[in-house]
């Protein structure tokens, strides 16, 4: 652990001295992410706290260039300090990725490789994942996730500050993620509104863990304090839409100091700021001379900041405003006339007068009226009897159904039910790992989930939090091609781990495309199980060709030869039945 910590934190200990975040913030050439929303601005290339890079010519690369016969470069998003960052396509797995490229002779090439390989081992979903780190053909390149649906926080704040409940989620996720990283000896050192991404599901992802600092030569003698102060500055910006220091940065106006060595608290900058979050930001920023509004101890590490977030009352999302329904206008019928609000009523000494322009409907003849009444009564009695029989049958046989269709609440499932005599196993013509967020689990082994061998399987990664993957990850899954459109009745899944609990859903898709948004798919069934098998039965047969098996909750399992202990699952075999 000591060697790993040294390699990750001191990735660029050459020249240059550490300086406060207030001076580092002027650097907006955010090469640490090398992904969506990157600025192409190359000014301030030697910002404070970073070593000045020697003049090393960037490799001659262009759109369409292919690395390792696999990664096709599409668009250059950053070119700075002898390295470049690109949006690219992984042609092997058919997904978008981000790539940092620099010459192998670049003085930062070795630290970048070491930092990337250390960051790749973390596997925390709160960070943009490093997928590959390679030295090949006199080039060093680092491949990482590309999140097409993510927006840098700097762009989100351009429209206004975050609501209190979103700022609470932001600081909690950042503090917990950085605390986990520091426990593994990894530091970020370049956290800013540009390196924090907000996905379409409201999750926050941090890009550039260790790698961004290595690329830019950023170093710190106190990495935990540096990252904690940076989280405090991001929270401050989220609450006020202002940068906590005198200089403008990340598209935000700076805030002047009340006095030398002090900062203005967020609730003094903008009215209506949540008091507890304002104090939390000041406790994180106290390392730079800020003074908390009360006498709480400062937070000097991400772990302490995460504990402070957990200790404060939760900030819930506000309830939607209630809109009163339109006023109900009561209508009373009396012997062929009506009383409606202030409308005409019965006259004294005689029958009620009908409203102007209305006609009293004629009464049915005596025998015809009686026959109609008896007919209606007979139909009502028959309907009540049929409904009672259906309810009784559902109560007696409801326990045999293990899944629900659409948005019904899933039920616990046990041993898979036997298919009907008319159904048969359906062939599987192909499969691919389905990940609309671009973060794959075990893409090369997807075919093992339907190879007829229970000893082979497709595996997920191991996650620290669970069983529910949300909000850090929407889910994991596989898309299957049944060859032709078939009438699908059910799916039986043999799982690798038992335990509480695995949540599974089945969706109809249009193709094997792994990046199709989940919102565009049609839900067929869902279930939840604590055993090592599950059956998803459709309420009625559906004509489909491509279907997605989607897992949103995973059981906790011990470490093995493939992954560490955590929340994870494996799919050993799937069987589709239908006509």
């Amino acid at each position: 652990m000591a060697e790993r910590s040294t390699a990750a934190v001191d990735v660029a200990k050459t020249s240059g001295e550490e300086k406060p975040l207030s001076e580092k913030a002027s650097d907006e050439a955010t090469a640490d992410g090398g992904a969506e929303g990157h600025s192409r601005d190359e000014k301030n290339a030697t910002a404070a706290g970073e070593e000045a890079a020697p003049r090393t010519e960037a490799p001659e690369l262009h759109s369409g260039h292919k690395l390792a016969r696999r990664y096709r470069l599409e668009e250059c998003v950053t070119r700075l300090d002898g390295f470049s960052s690109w949006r690219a396509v992984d042609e092997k797995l058919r997904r978008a990725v981000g790539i940092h490229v620099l010459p192998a002779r670049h003085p930062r090439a070795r630290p970048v490789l070491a930092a990337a390989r250390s960051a790749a081992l973390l596997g925390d979903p709160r960070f943009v994942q490093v997928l590959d780190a390679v030295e090949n053909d006199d080039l060093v390149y680092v491949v990482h996730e590309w999140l097409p649906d993510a927006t840098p926080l700097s762009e989100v704040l351009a429209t206004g500050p975050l609501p209190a409940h979103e700022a609470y989620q932001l600081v909690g996720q950042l503090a917990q993620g950085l605390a986990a990283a520091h426990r593994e000896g990894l530091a970020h050192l370049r956290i800013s509104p540009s390196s924090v991404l907000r996905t379409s599901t409201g999750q926050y992802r941090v890009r550039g863990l260790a790698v961004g600092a290595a690329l830019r030569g950023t170093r710190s003698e106190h990495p935990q304090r540096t990252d904690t102060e940076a989280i405090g500055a991001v929270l401050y910006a989220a609450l006020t839409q202002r940068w906590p220091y005198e200089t403008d940065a990340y598209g935000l106006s700076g805030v002047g100091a009340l006095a030398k060595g002090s900062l203005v608290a967020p609730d003094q900058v903008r009215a209506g700021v949540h008091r507890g979050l304002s104090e939390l930001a000041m406790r994180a920023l106290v390392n730079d001379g800020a003074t908390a509004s009360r006498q709480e101890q400062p937070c000097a590490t991400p772990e302490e900041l995460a504990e402070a977030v957990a200790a404060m009352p939760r900030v819930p999302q506000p309830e939607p405003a209630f809109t009163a329904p339109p006023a109900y206008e009561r209508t009373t019928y009396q012997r062929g006339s009506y009383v409606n609000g202030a409308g005409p009523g019965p006259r004294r000494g005689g029958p009620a007068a009908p409203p102007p322009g209305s006609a009293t409907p004629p009464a049915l003849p005596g025998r015809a009226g009686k026959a109609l009444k008896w007919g209606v009564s007979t139909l009502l009695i028959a309907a009540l009897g049929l409904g009672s029989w259906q309810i009784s049958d559902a109560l007696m046989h409801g326990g045999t159904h293990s899944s629900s269709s659409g948005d019904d609440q899933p039920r616990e499932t046990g041993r898979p039910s036997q298919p009907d005599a008319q159904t048969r196993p359906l062939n599987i013509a192909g499969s691919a790992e389905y990940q609309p967020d671009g973060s794959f689990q075990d893409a090369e082994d997807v075919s093992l989930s339907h190879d007829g061998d229970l000893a082979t399987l497709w595996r997920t990664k191991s996650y620290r939090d669970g069983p529910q993957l949300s909000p850090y990850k929407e889910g994991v899954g596989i898309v299957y091609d049944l060859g032709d459109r078939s009438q699908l009745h059910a799916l039986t899944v043999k799982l690798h781990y038992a335990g509480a609990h695995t949540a599974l859903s089945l969706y109809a898709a249009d193709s094997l495309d792994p990046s199709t948004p989940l919102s565009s798919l049609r839900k067929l069934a869902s279930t939840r199980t604590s055993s090592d098998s599950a059956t998803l039965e459709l309420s009625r047969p559906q004509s489909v060709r491509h279907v997605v098996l989607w897992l949103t909750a995973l059981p906790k399992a011990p470490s093995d030869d493939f992954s560490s202990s955590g929340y994870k699952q494996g799919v050993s075999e799937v069987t589709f039945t239908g006509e």
Side-chain angles (χ1 to χ4, degrees):
M1 179 64 70
E3 293 179 1
R4 182 176 177 185
S5 176
T6 302
V9 175
D10 296 334
V11 290
K13 280 193 176 181
T14 53
S15 59
E17 295 297 327
E18 176 189 1
K19 293 190 178 181
L21 182 65
S22 56
E23 297 180 31
K24 298 176 188 175
S26 60
D27 180 13
E28 297 188 54
T30 53
D32 50 321
E36 318 76 35
H38 254 223
S39 169
R40 294 182 176 83
D41 188 2
E42 299 183 16
K43 65 182 179 179
N44 300 324
T46 57
E50 302 168 1
E51 61 170 301
R55 299 296 298 176
T56 303
E57 292 298 326
E60 290 295 331
L61 302 174
H62 53 82
S63 297
H65 188 98
K66 193 176 293 186
L67 299 175
R69 301 180 182 179
R70 175 174 179 176
Y71 303 110
R72 186 180 72 249
L73 303 182
E74 294 284 319
E75 179 188 8
C76 183
V77 294
T78 301
R79 193 182 297 275
L80 188 68
D81 284 356
F83 71 89
S84 57
S85 299
W86 296 76
R87 176 177 60 84
V89 174
D90 181 349
E91 294 186 337
K92 184 176 181 180
L93 297 180
R94 296 182 298 172
R95 61 178 176 182
V97 294
I99 299 183
H100 303 299
V101 186
L102 68 164
R105 65 180 181 277
H106 195 289
R108 296 179 190 158
R110 299 300 168 193
V112 167
L113 275 176
R117 288 166 179 170
S118 296
L121 297 175
L122 182 61
D124 192 305
R126 289 166 287 214
F127 295 97
V128 174
Q129 299 295 300
V130 173
L131 305 175
D132 205 354
V134 180
E135 180 179 359
N136 188 26
D137 295 334
D138 297 326
L139 293 176
V140 166
Y141 50 91
V142 176
V143 184
H144 61 83
E145 288 181 291
W146 182 274
L147 308 179
D149 66 335
T151 306
L153 184 62
S154 55
E155 295 183 15
V156 176
L157 296 181
T159 61
L162 296 183
H165 70 279
E166 290 191 23
Y168 174 79
Q169 294 291 334
L170 168 68
V171 66
Q173 292 181 29
L174 290 182
Q176 292 170 14
L178 267 298
H182 279 278
R183 285 194 294 268
E184 299 297 326
L186 294 165
H188 193 289
L189 306 184
R190 291 185 59 81
I191 297 174
S192 70
S194 294
S195 66
V196 177
L197 307 175
R198 186 173 73 175
T199 68
S200 58
T201 60
Q203 174 190 358
Y204 292 96
R205 306 281 298 275
V206 181
R207 61 186 177 190
L209 177 66
V211 177
L215 283 168
R216 301 302 301 277
T218 306
R219 71 180 195 86
S220 173
E221 296 296 331
H222 306 285
Q224 294 208 45
R225 189 178 70 184
T226 298
D227 281 345
T228 305
E229 180 188 344
I231 297 173
V234 169
L235 174 59
Y236 192 110
L239 294 171
T240 64
Q241 201 187 9
R242 302 282 294 276
W243 191 239
Y245 306 105
E246 295 184 7
T247 56
D248 299 347
Y250 311 107
L252 303 172
S253 301
V255 178
L258 287 174
K260 184 175 179 61
S262 66
L263 297 178
V264 185
D267 56 1
Q268 294 176 335
V269 173
R270 180 180 290 271
V273 170
H274 188 278
R275 180 68 177 276
L277 292 174
S278 175
E279 294 175 354
L280 196 65
M282 297 302 284
R283 291 178 64 185
L285 288 168
V286 75
N287 299 299
D288 197 63
T291 303
S293 55
R294 295 183 181 176
Q295 299 302 316
E296 294 93 343
Q297 291 295 320
C299 298
T301 67
E303 190 79 45
E304 293 178 0
L305 184 58
E307 292 174 356
V309 174
M312 69 178 293
R314 182 176 176 272
V315 182
Q317 183 173 357
E319 296 291 335
F322 174 75
T323 303
Y328 174 70
E329 195 168 304
R330 181 178 177 183
T331 301
T332 304
Y333 289 90
Q334 295 181 351
R335 293 187 181 181
S337 65
Y338 72 96
V339 178
N340 187 359
R347 293 176 298 176
R348 291 184 180 181
S358 67
T360 304
L364 289 172
R367 290 185 179 180
K370 289 181 179 179
L372 180 61
K373 291 178 182 178
W374 279 108
V376 171
S377 300
T378 303
L379 290 175
L380 287 174
I381 293 171
L384 288 173
L386 178 61
S388 301
W389 176 82
Q390 290 178 334
I391 293 173
S392 176
D393 181 70
L395 291 175
M396 292 177 63
H397 299 90
T400 63
H401 296 284
S402 61
S403 65
S404 59
S405 177
D407 295 328
D408 295 340
Q409 181 67 25
R411 291 190 289 256
E412 189 78 12
T413 182
R415 188 174 54 216
S417 60
Q418 296 296 324
D420 297 335
Q422 296 179 350
T423 63
R424 60 177 177 82
L426 301 177
N427 293 327
I428 300 177
S431 60
E433 187 167 321
Y434 175 74
Q435 274 303 340
D437 64 1
S439 175
F440 288 79
Q441 307 291 303
D442 187 18
E444 296 182 356
D445 291 335
V446 172
S447 62
L448 301 181
S449 68
H450 56 93
D451 62 350
D453 185 357
L454 291 177
T456 61
L457 63 150
W458 167 84
R459 300 173 180 271
T460 72
K461 294 179 180 178
S462 179
Y463 295 93
R464 294 178 181 273
D465 298 320
Q468 202 70 24
L469 295 178
S470 175
Y472 305 115
K473 190 171 185 62
E474 191 176 3
V476 296
I478 303 174
V479 56
Y480 294 96
D481 180 4
L482 303 182
D484 291 308
R485 297 192 73 85
S486 305
Q487 291 293 323
L488 179 63
H489 287 230
L491 166 64
T492 301
V493 185
K494 182 63 178 177
L495 301 169
H496 189 59
Y497 300 108
H501 61 271
T502 303
L504 310 94
S505 297
L506 192 63
Y507 290 84
D510 295 327
S511 68
L512 275 178
D513 185 0
S515 60
T516 304
L518 187 68
S519 58
S520 67
L521 306 184
R522 178 165 52 93
K523 192 172 186 180
L524 303 175
S526 62
T527 191
R528 193 175 82 171
T529 182
S530 295
S531 70
D532 61 356
S533 62
T535 297
L536 293 104
E537 295 180 352
L538 281 62
S539 59
R540 62 179 182 275
Q542 297 284 339
S543 176
V544 295
R545 173 175 175 176
H546 299 94
V547 289
V548 171
L549 174 61
W550 189 237
L551 283 66
T552 55
L554 310 177
K556 192 166 186 179
S559 59
D560 51 33
D561 294 338
F562 298 92
S563 60
S564 60
S565 62
Y567 293 90
K568 55 186 178 179
Q569 188 54 279
V571 177
S572 300
E573 198 68 25
V574 298
T575 304
F576 293 93
T577 54
E579 305 173 38

